[in-house]
Amino acid sequence: MRFTEAERIKNLPPYLFARIEQVIAQKKEEGVDIISLGIGDPDMPTPEHIIKEAEKQIYVPENHQYPSSVGMLSYRKAVADFYTKRFGVELDPKKEVVSLIGSKEGIAHISWCYLNPGDVVLVPDPGYPVYSGGAILAGAVPYYMPLTKENGFLPDLNSIPEDIAKKAKMMFINYPNNPTGAIADENFYKEVIEFAKKYEILVCHDNAYSEVSYDGYLPLSFLQIPGAKEVGIEFSSVSKAYNMTGWRIGWIAGNESVVEALGRFKSNIDSGQFQAVQYAAMAGLNGPQDIIAANNEIYRERRDVVIDGLNAMGWNLEKPKATFYIWAPVPKGFTSASFAEYVIEKAGVVVTAGNGYGDQGEGYFRVSITIPKERIVEALERMKKYIGKVEF
Ligand code: PLP
């Protein structure tokens, strides 16, 4: 029997990486040794002290019961303490922090809390697909803010038409940025806050990559900018900082009423995250932070291999200061899709076609450096051998 899908999911494309995984599986079946620079997922293990804490907590019977859907107070306090230590931001753990089952979960659900069918939401293009996915599921209409190289991959708020700005209820921003690797400074966030106040727009800043940075650069929290809490919130998680993507735990922090609304929404949908996992995240947030610098040194080396390798083939790329992504234009004569296909066919290397992140991503591809350096070296060698010099 074939059931009729609800309108809201009929037009929902499969999640971007579902397609990539299919291609990889198919090539592997054909016996190709695929090197995937596709998905951004830390390959280094979760630190020992975090695993040990989880192991200990798994044996505690009270952790086997339903957790609170907003998170244990001790977890929310660990997030607040992390914000104080790392960003100098004061948060009330009881009112200004709620746990999430990964930041993806909160990003998808926030639209349900603030967008009615037909409402406009400002979404970066290219951007993490969950911003528009969640909004579309809620019946809202994304207005895509182009992120262009000329503007440092920041949205140009002045170019948003007045009628759209007036209609917009919410805006997603994300720096350090996936997929472009761009960063934002204090002035940009100040502009965002001014814009949000003028048009009464809720700002949702996604800070998933705040701990992945290089060359002495330390990303900001949106919440450290004066006035941010009045207009918005920040999503983040332990996923990237402590190699914990599989553990599924994150947070929303900031504006009290928004944090409460998402907590209320979630209390009707999920029952929070396993407490042993919350304890593990606390061990990460409260524990030694040297793992972050160690990770970043590994990523930096890999980043340099990719940038130097591509530049030797004819690209002219700058080294990104944050994230584990390299965003590069496709050579002359290619589209994003045809180049991604060409690279996999010729070199057995997976890169992500930029148009998967939105129309403005057309003409670009993304390389992720979350595999061992030797494999990245090999990927670049193969590209050099089978693709050779490129032109733009
Ligand atoms: N935000 C961005 C920009 C991401 O790239 C990702 C994951 O790749 C996430 C959020 C979600 O991370 P998590 O749900 O693991 O916190």
Side-chain angles (χ1 to χ4, degrees):
M1 206 171 346
R2 197 175 158 78
F3 300 96
T4 313
E5 289 180 354
E7 291 301 325
R8 77 177 67 84
I9 83 146
K10 255 188 200 157
N11 297 322
L12 207 61
Y15 193 61
L16 179 59
F17 292 111
R19 171 81 192 117
I20 295 171
E21 276 161 16
Q22 269 174 3
V23 175
I24 297 173
Q26 187 194 325
K27 285 281 160 195
K28 280 187 179 160
E29 247 173 60
E30 293 166 13
V32 181
D33 170 30
I34 292 288
I35 302 178
S36 178
L37 305 174
I39 297 173
D41 188 351
D43 55 315
M44 274 101 60
T46 304
E48 185 76 10
H49 69 279
I50 297 177
I51 294 175
K52 284 261 182 298
E53 177 66 13
E55 188 184 28
K56 185 176 104 191
Q57 297 296 341
I58 279 174
Y59 289 100
V60 177
E62 65 189 49
N63 290 338
H64 303 169
Q65 294 181 285
Y66 283 123
S68 143
S69 61
V70 295
M72 300 163 72
L73 184 57
S74 52
Y75 170 72
R76 288 178 283 146
K77 191 166 177 318
V79 172
D81 290 346
F82 175 77
Y83 267 70
T84 307
K85 282 182 287 188
R86 171 66 176 82
F87 301 115
V89 170
E90 296 300 324
L91 291 169
D92 178 345
K94 288 194 178 137
K95 296 181 178 158
E96 295 178 323
V97 183
V98 157
S99 72
L100 298 172
I101 306 173
S103 60
K104 182 177 183 181
E105 179 260 308
I107 291 167
H109 282 149
I110 193 75
S111 287
W112 290 80
C113 302
Y114 287 96
L115 300 175
N116 286 315
D119 280 349
V120 172
V121 52
L122 305 174
V123 174
D125 176 3
Y128 181 54
V130 184
Y131 311 135
S132 52
I136 290 167
L137 280 171
V141 184
Y143 174 86
Y144 293 101
M145 304 183 288
L147 307 187
T148 63
K149 184 173 189 304
E150 297 70 46
N151 208 41
F153 297 110
L154 298 168
D156 176 5
L157 302 180
N158 295 320
S159 74
I160 298 170
E162 181 81 12
D163 61 319
I164 297 287
K166 279 185 178 157
K167 272 198 253 169
K169 294 271 172 63
M170 214 165 84
M171 169 197 267
F172 285 103
I173 47 171
N174 159 228
Y175 295 95
N177 183 261
N178 175 15
T180 68
I183 55 174
D185 64 12
E186 195 170 340
N187 285 337
F188 170 71
Y189 290 127
K190 280 183 179 160
E191 244 182 72
V192 168
I193 292 169
E194 212 173 287
F195 183 84
K197 280 188 178 160
K198 181 168 173 195
Y199 295 106
E200 295 181 21
I201 292 171
L202 162 59
V203 178
C204 298
H205 181 241
D206 175 358
N207 211 0
Y209 296 93
S210 71
E211 305 313 299
V212 184
S213 68
Y214 317 107
D215 309 330
Y217 171 69
L218 206 52
L220 306 175
S221 162
F222 174 63
L223 300 179
Q224 74 191 75
I225 314 302
K229 263 196 218 174
E230 267 173 70
V231 298
I233 56 87
E234 183 156 277
F235 290 111
S236 194
S237 76
V238 293
S239 288
K240 313 287 154 66
Y242 310 109
N243 305 331
M244 293 179 73
T245 50
W247 298 70
R248 310 311 305 134
I249 180 152
W251 61 82
I252 176 177
N255 186 282
E256 187 180 324
S257 64
V258 179
V259 169
E260 185 279 328
L262 186 61
R264 182 158 30 100
F265 179 88
K266 281 170 58 59
S267 67
N268 283 280
I269 290 192
D270 64 62
S271 300
Q273 180 52 280
F274 182 26
Q275 289 196 165
V277 170
Q278 295 189 53
Y279 278 110
M282 284 183 236
L285 293 164
N286 293 331
Q289 300 297 300
D290 47 349
I291 179 211
I292 292 173
N295 272 351
N296 287 344
E297 183 50 23
I298 292 168
Y299 290 136
R300 187 199 58 75
E301 276 188 26
R302 298 172 178 180
R303 174 201 68 172
D304 291 354
V305 169
V306 173
I307 298 281
D308 295 344
L310 290 178
N311 284 352
M313 291 170 68
W315 270 271
N316 182 18
L317 303 168
E318 283 173 26
K319 292 179 175 172
K321 292 225 177 312
T323 76
F324 35 63
Y325 303 116
I326 287 108
W327 185 243
V330 298
K332 201 157 83 188
F334 287 100
T335 62
S336 290
S338 72
F339 185 67
E341 218 165 285
Y342 184 73
V343 178
I344 199 167
E345 288 300 338
K346 287 270 183 189
V349 172
V350 177
V351 298
T352 314
N355 60 334
Y357 298 93
D359 291 349
Q360 298 292 326
E362 179 52 53
Y364 284 88
F365 66 101
R366 194 193 76 172
V367 165
S368 168
I369 49 172
T370 53
I371 60 168
K373 185 177 158 193
E374 310 77 71
R375 292 292 276 169
I376 297 178
V377 169
E378 189 182 336
L380 269 295
E381 275 169 4
R382 285 195 208 169
M383 285 173 75
K384 200 169 165 188
K385 185 166 167 196
Y386 299 111
I387 295 172
K389 281 271 181 204
V390 294
E391 285 181 16
F392 295 91

